[in-house]
Amino acid sequence: MVNNYSAKNLLLMLYVCPLFLAVSCKKDGNALLPPEPSASPGATASPLQTGQVRIGFYEVDSAGVKELQMDVSKIGSKSVDLDMIFDTGSGGLVVDGDGLLPASMISTTGFVFPGDSTVVNDITITSQTAMVEYGNDDNTLSKVFGNLAYASVTIGDSNGNITIKRLPFFIYYKAINAFGKLYPPHEFDVLGVSSEYDITFNNKVFITSPLMYFDPGHGLTRGFRIAALGTSDFSEQGTYVAAVTLGLTAADLSSNGFNMTPIEAAGDDGYVPVVAGTIRYNDQNFSSKLIFDTGTSPYYYIENPAAPNTPALLNANVRISMSTSTGFNYGYTVMATNNLTVVENPLSTGGYASLMSLDFFLNNEYLLDFDNHQLGLKNN
């Protein structure tokens, strides 16, 4: 299934406190760490080393907009077939309640149930609510309304999967665009795998990467790596590629060629995988924070403090070079149909970081270490 939306507008979570209903925007410095991971690999998953599991996503290309869609096949006791956007630019499972709950429980003003919580299909829904904003300006702003929920979740399908026995996630009842129009069911389903905390509720429960709950066992580190994707497997129908390895080895973290960058705690937002770097093009050279985001396509977004106030596309054949503070170098050439790049002035757009699009992942590898709070990048 291909959703017809702008990937940036949907998946770039604004890094400001959302407007909450019965949710604390300011997080306590002693906010709870994730519960002890409790997950088991599916029988069909492919182990690489004891404890490691490889799962995959479907590589989709719809009219030049690439997406990575990872299947969620069970929530609570409810078998489902949900194509979730696999997003390194946000943290947390965000899923529509449509089909998971009886229609009588869902209204445009909230979930309908008595008391502080209820259990349906082994999904616990609490009365704690939130509104999360996605977008980049008043014209693209979308809002998603929902509740804190808990359930076991099976990520992946018969090609390879893991089951997490109890996971906090965000279940929503309504999503609207900037003009108040309702989106269709499941339009905003996201599997955010970043280590950041996108939503924190007032009992110190936060929504973050479901993959953080996978414990690979002794001798391995909690985290994942993504192989370079190439271009040959993207299709309109979606091609399954087992590109995600859960559980990191000592070699991954030291001798397999990844350039490792520590991730600092970003106040109330947890460990947001943002990297300090430098960008160069057209004889301009400036510092920028960098986010490597599988949820952004087909454009790169560069925040240049010397750019005009109106965002503009760079011309074809412009060469972009980037380097991180730890010495990882990356470059690409803007083309007529790929590597499209928008330059924005952060003072006028409010953007705080340059977004490296899904195109980055075609020729480079990515690693996120949950235990040691570091990000790895590797040229293929």
Side-chain angles (χ1 to χ4, degrees):
M1 178 184 69
V2 176
N3 292 322
N4 295 316
Y5 50 67
S6 164
K8 184 203 179 190
N9 294 340
L10 169 61
L11 296 175
L12 172 57
M13 178 70 75
L14 294 181
Y15 292 98
V16 297
C17 287
L19 301 177
F20 290 129
L21 302 175
V23 176
S24 171
C25 189
K26 296 294 290 182
K27 300 183 181 70
D28 191 308
N30 296 317
L32 297 179
L33 294 175
E36 285 299 313
S38 181
S40 57
T44 57
S46 303
L48 305 176
Q49 178 175 313
T50 301
Q52 282 187 311
V53 172
R54 181 175 287 151
I55 58 176
F57 35 59
Y58 292 85
E59 299 184 3
V60 177
D61 189 330
S62 177
V65 178
K66 296 182 178 66
E67 294 177 350
L68 303 180
Q69 298 181 355
M70 183 167 280
D71 191 69
V72 169
S73 51
K74 196 171 187 179
I75 299 179
S77 60
K78 186 77 172 179
S79 294
V80 293
D81 184 14
L82 299 177
D83 301 319
M84 311 288 291
I85 300 300
F86 181 88
D87 182 29
T88 58
S90 67
L93 178 67
V94 177
V95 61
D96 196 336
D98 182 80
L100 295 176
L101 308 175
S104 60
M105 283 189 61
I106 305 173
S107 77
T108 56
T109 58
F111 293 112
V112 181
F113 61 90
D116 292 332
S117 66
T118 190
V119 179
V120 179
N121 295 325
D122 291 333
I123 302 168
T124 300
I125 305 166
T126 77
S127 59
Q128 295 190 64
T129 60
M131 184 274 284
V132 185
E133 295 181 343
Y134 297 83
N136 200 44
D137 53 44
D138 289 341
N139 293 322
T140 62
L141 186 67
S142 295
K143 298 178 181 180
V144 184
F145 301 80
N147 292 44
L148 169 66
Y150 297 87
S152 62
V153 177
T154 298
I155 299 171
D157 56 18
S158 59
N159 292 298
N161 60 76
I162 59 170
T163 296
I164 298 170
K165 294 182 179 179
R166 185 167 173 82
L167 172 71
F169 65 97
F170 187 62
I171 188 168
Y172 65 90
Y173 57 86
K174 180 175 69 174
I176 60 174
N177 66 14
F179 308 100
K181 183 179 179 181
L182 286 170
Y183 283 105
H186 295 284
E187 187 80 0
F188 275 77
D189 286 2
V190 180
L191 181 64
V193 296
S194 165
S195 53
E196 67 198 72
Y197 311 155
D198 272 353
I199 310 169
T200 296
F201 291 87
N202 57 15
N203 60 351
K204 301 181 183 178
V205 174
F206 57 81
I207 307 297
T208 190
S209 173
L211 302 185
M212 190 179 290
Y213 294 85
F214 179 78
D215 183 0
H218 180 71
L220 295 172
T221 295
R222 282 191 308 159
F224 66 92
R225 67 175 192 263
I226 307 173
L229 304 179
T231 59
S232 60
D233 292 314
F234 283 87
S235 66
E236 185 175 356
Q237 296 77 22
T239 304
Y240 183 84
V241 179
V244 181
T245 301
L246 302 178
L248 302 174
T249 66
D252 288 333
L253 302 178
S254 61
S255 60
N256 279 347
F258 282 96
N259 178 280
M260 305 301 295
T261 300
I263 302 171
E264 300 296 332
D268 295 337
D269 293 322
Y271 290 89
V272 182
V274 176
V275 177
T278 301
I279 299 177
R280 296 174 294 280
Y281 70 94
N282 288 347
D283 297 323
Q284 299 186 61
N285 189 324
F286 53 93
S287 298
S288 181
K289 297 182 183 299
L290 309 175
I291 296 177
F292 298 85
D293 185 11
T294 56
T296 294
S297 174
Y299 301 103
Y300 289 80
Y301 290 83
I302 291 178
E303 301 297 328
N304 181 353
N309 288 334
T310 302
L313 277 170
L314 285 179
N315 294 328
N317 300 317
V318 170
R319 181 68 182 173
I320 313 289
S321 297
M322 302 180 187
S323 59
T324 70
S325 58
T326 53
F328 177 78
N329 295 299
Y330 166 61
Y332 66 90
T333 300
V334 179
M335 307 296 287
T337 58
N338 56 21
N339 289 335
L340 303 173
T341 301
V342 175
V343 175
E344 301 176 332
N345 187 314
L347 297 179
S348 60
T349 65
Y352 90 109
S354 297
L355 299 183
M356 305 298 101
S357 81
L358 179 55
D359 282 349
F360 168 84
F361 295 81
L362 303 181
N363 299 303
N364 298 277
E365 299 182 46
Y366 180 93
L367 178 153
L368 190 58
D369 175 356
F370 295 132
D371 284 339
N372 303 298
H373 308 301
Q374 53 184 345
L375 171 72
L377 301 169
K378 180 181 177 182
N379 299 124
N380 193 33

